[in-house]
């Protein structure tokens, strides 16, 4: 029987959406090492979380209990059942408190904003299996007050779909924003209330793993605004550690992200077509065949290998409740 130490073979990353549950070997290993995830842990913790929901059903209004849905919250909290339950509570409370974001959050209602190409999900994962998102602020119409909420709706819909994929739940996402061409007028339109709303919406209220935010080429007026708003006062220290500002020198950024993963707008080689992403996200039935073709090679590679089992030092279900959080 093969052990976790033998999960050293590199398998191709899965597609951004879909994947039919495919998780490459290196991501399985990451899940084991970072999240303490094993097949036994998943089964036990999903059962425990569902039991906890049922015990407290008079206190909550959770409307979805599927294994896949609960697993997102458990992975986000490293299989701490109590923490996952509290995250569920905050998630649903957040939805009720922000109807302008969550009400009627459908493909039809976000299509127009999505087609503007502000939130651009790149077509392939990076070398760490992470999803890369190019946040193109230049296309944001700051002059229209309600456009901010529309943009948040696009973010919520996009992240919800991305984190339906096991590989993304484990490896997370990276957000990249090039501020080089942000105008003075656009910068002046930014408000601390906007940042606070973003933080309230996502920080500790949404089951997604944010590995890093990279801000490139900040202008003098953006740096001034950044200092005036005092961003660190709004975010937790762990998130602050994942926020990187690259002012002029992009060598560290370029070392982290080879050009083969980046779009041409960021100095890379990828020819990005936002229309393709919109079609894949909003019209999965039309892109299903393409997704299946992308996935087939991965599934075939997986089937050729032996089934891996996890042995060695194991933790009891109770020990996950004291594990260090992300």
């Amino acid at each position: 029987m093969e052990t976790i130490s033998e999960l050293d073979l590199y398998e191709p990353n899965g597609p951004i959406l879909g994947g039919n549950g495919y998780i490459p070997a290196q991501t399985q290993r990451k899940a084991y090492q970072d999240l303490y995830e094993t097949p036994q842990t998943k089964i036990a913790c999903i059962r425990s979380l569902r039991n906890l929901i049922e015990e407290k059903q008079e206190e909550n209004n959770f409307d979805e209990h599927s294994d896949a849905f609960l697993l997102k919250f458990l992975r986000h909290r490293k299989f701490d059942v109590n923490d996952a339950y509290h995250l569920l509570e905050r998630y649903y409370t957040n939805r009720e408190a922000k109807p302008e974001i969550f009400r009627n959050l459908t493909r039809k209602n976000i299509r127009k904003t999505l087609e503007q190409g502000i939130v651009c999900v790149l077509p392939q994962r990076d070398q760490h299996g992470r999803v890369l998102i190019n946040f193109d602020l230049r296309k944001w119409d700051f002059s229209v007050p309600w456009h901010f909420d529309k943009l948040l709706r696009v973010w919520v819909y996009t992240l919800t779909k991305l984190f339906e994929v096991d590989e993304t739940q484990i490896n997370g996402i990276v957000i990249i924003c090039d501020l080089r061409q942000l105008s003075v007028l656009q910068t002046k339109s930014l408000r601390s209330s906007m940042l606070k709303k973003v933080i309230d919406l996502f920080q500790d209220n949404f089951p997604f793993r944010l590995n890093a935010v990279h801000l490139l080429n900040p202008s003098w007026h953006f740096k001034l605004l950044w200092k005036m708003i005092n961003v660190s006062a709004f975010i937790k220290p762990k998130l602050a550690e994942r926020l990187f500002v690259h002012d002029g020198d992009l060598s560290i950024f370029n070392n982290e992200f080879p050009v083969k993963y980046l779009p041409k707008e960021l100095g890379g080689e990828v020819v990005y077509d936002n229309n393709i992403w919109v079609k894949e996200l909003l019209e999965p039935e039309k892109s299903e065949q393409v997704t299946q073709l992308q996935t087939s090679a991965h599934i075939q590679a997986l089937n050729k290998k032996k089934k891996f089992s996890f042995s060695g030092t194991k933790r009891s279900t109770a020990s996950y409740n004291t594990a260090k959080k992300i």
Side-chain angles (χ1 to χ4, degrees):
M1 182 177 292
E2 298 178 357
T3 66
I4 188 65
S5 63
E6 293 173 289
L7 280 174
D8 293 325
L9 295 175
Y10 182 86
E11 296 179 333
N13 291 323
I16 300 299
L17 298 177
N20 296 330
Y22 167 75
I23 306 177
Q26 63 274 11
T27 301
Q28 293 181 50
R29 181 172 185 172
K30 179 180 177 64
Y32 178 82
Q33 294 177 334
D34 294 355
L35 309 182
Y36 319 117
E37 177 178 323
T38 68
Q40 296 81 6
T41 301
K42 287 196 295 185
I43 294 172
C45 289
I46 288 173
R47 183 187 301 117
S48 297
L49 180 55
R50 180 171 287 109
N51 290 340
L52 185 58
I53 292 171
E54 292 175 356
E55 289 174 9
K56 299 186 177 184
Q57 59 183 346
E58 294 184 0
E59 304 173 15
N60 63 60
N61 59 344
F62 306 160
D63 58 9
E64 184 174 354
H65 300 165
S66 69
D67 287 0
F69 182 76
L70 297 181
L71 183 57
K72 289 193 297 184
F73 291 83
L74 286 165
R75 279 178 171 148
H76 187 69
R77 305 313 300 166
K78 290 190 174 182
F79 290 91
D80 183 315
V81 173
N82 289 324
D83 274 7
Y85 177 82
H86 293 315
L87 178 58
L88 265 167
E89 283 187 314
R90 294 192 298 272
Y91 172 77
Y92 278 102
T93 299
N94 199 31
R95 287 176 54 174
E96 293 177 359
K98 297 179 176 61
E100 73 280 9
I101 304 298
F102 290 95
R103 182 181 296 149
N104 297 323
L105 191 58
T106 63
R107 301 176 190 175
K108 178 181 178 181
N109 290 336
I110 69 160
R111 176 182 287 276
K112 188 173 182 180
T113 308
L114 186 66
E115 288 175 342
Q116 294 174 357
I118 304 172
V119 181
C120 307
V121 177
L122 301 185
Q124 62 176 328
R125 299 175 184 274
D126 71 358
Q127 68 272 31
H128 304 296
R130 304 174 299 189
V131 174
L132 304 181
I133 303 177
N134 180 21
F135 186 23
D136 194 346
L137 273 175
R138 299 170 302 166
K139 300 175 182 176
W140 183 3
D141 188 355
F142 293 87
S143 64
V144 182
W146 45 260
H147 195 243
F148 178 66
D149 283 349
K150 285 185 173 291
L151 184 57
L152 289 182
R153 285 165 64 83
V154 166
W155 271 109
V156 169
Y157 189 95
T158 300
L159 292 175
T160 298
K161 292 300 181 182
L162 289 176
F163 280 89
E164 289 176 355
V165 181
D166 294 276
E167 193 173 355
T168 308
Q169 293 172 21
I170 297 167
N171 292 323
I173 64 170
V174 174
I175 298 173
I176 304 170
C177 183
D178 189 354
L179 302 165
R180 178 171 38 197
Q181 297 184 29
L182 196 67
S183 69
V184 175
L185 182 60
Q186 287 176 313
T187 302
K188 287 176 63 178
S189 300
L190 291 170
R191 298 286 185 271
S192 60
S193 59
M194 293 179 174
L195 176 61
K196 186 177 185 303
K197 188 166 187 176
V198 172
I199 298 301
D200 289 343
L201 181 61
F202 293 112
Q203 184 170 261
D204 293 332
N205 292 325
F206 205 87
F208 78 108
R209 191 172 302 279
L210 179 60
N211 292 96
V213 177
H214 292 270
L215 303 178
L216 313 182
N217 306 306
S219 59
W220 65 267
H221 42 86
F222 182 86
K223 287 187 284 187
L224 178 61
L225 177 69
W226 186 268
K227 186 175 181 179
M228 291 174 59
I229 290 180
N230 189 17
V231 175
S232 60
F234 290 89
I235 60 179
K236 292 190 172 182
K238 184 158 287 188
L239 179 57
E241 293 173 358
R242 299 176 182 180
L243 185 59
F244 304 93
V245 180
H246 305 270
D247 188 4
D249 183 7
L250 299 182
S251 57
I252 296 177
F253 175 79
N254 291 330
N255 288 336
E256 175 68 15
F257 301 99
V259 293
K260 66 179 180 179
Y261 298 115
L262 298 175
K264 289 189 174 182
E265 306 91 273
L266 298 177
E269 300 174 346
V270 177
V271 179
Y272 178 78
D273 186 342
N274 189 62
N275 292 326
I276 294 177
W277 167 244
V278 171
K279 181 177 180 180
E280 184 176 0
L281 181 65
L282 300 187
E283 303 175 23
E285 67 282 356
K286 293 184 179 180
S287 59
E288 183 178 4
Q289 184 177 4
V290 175
T291 301
Q292 289 177 346
L293 289 173
Q294 290 175 332
T295 306
S296 61
H298 307 142
I299 301 302
Q300 289 174 11
L302 184 64
N303 290 337
K304 288 180 181 179
K305 301 184 183 298
K306 297 178 181 179
K307 296 290 184 181
F308 293 108
S309 64
F310 298 86
S311 61
T313 303
K314 294 184 179 179
R315 303 185 177 206
S316 66
T317 302
S319 70
Y320 294 104
N321 291 332
T322 59
K324 183 179 179 182
K325 314 299 185 302
I326 286 184

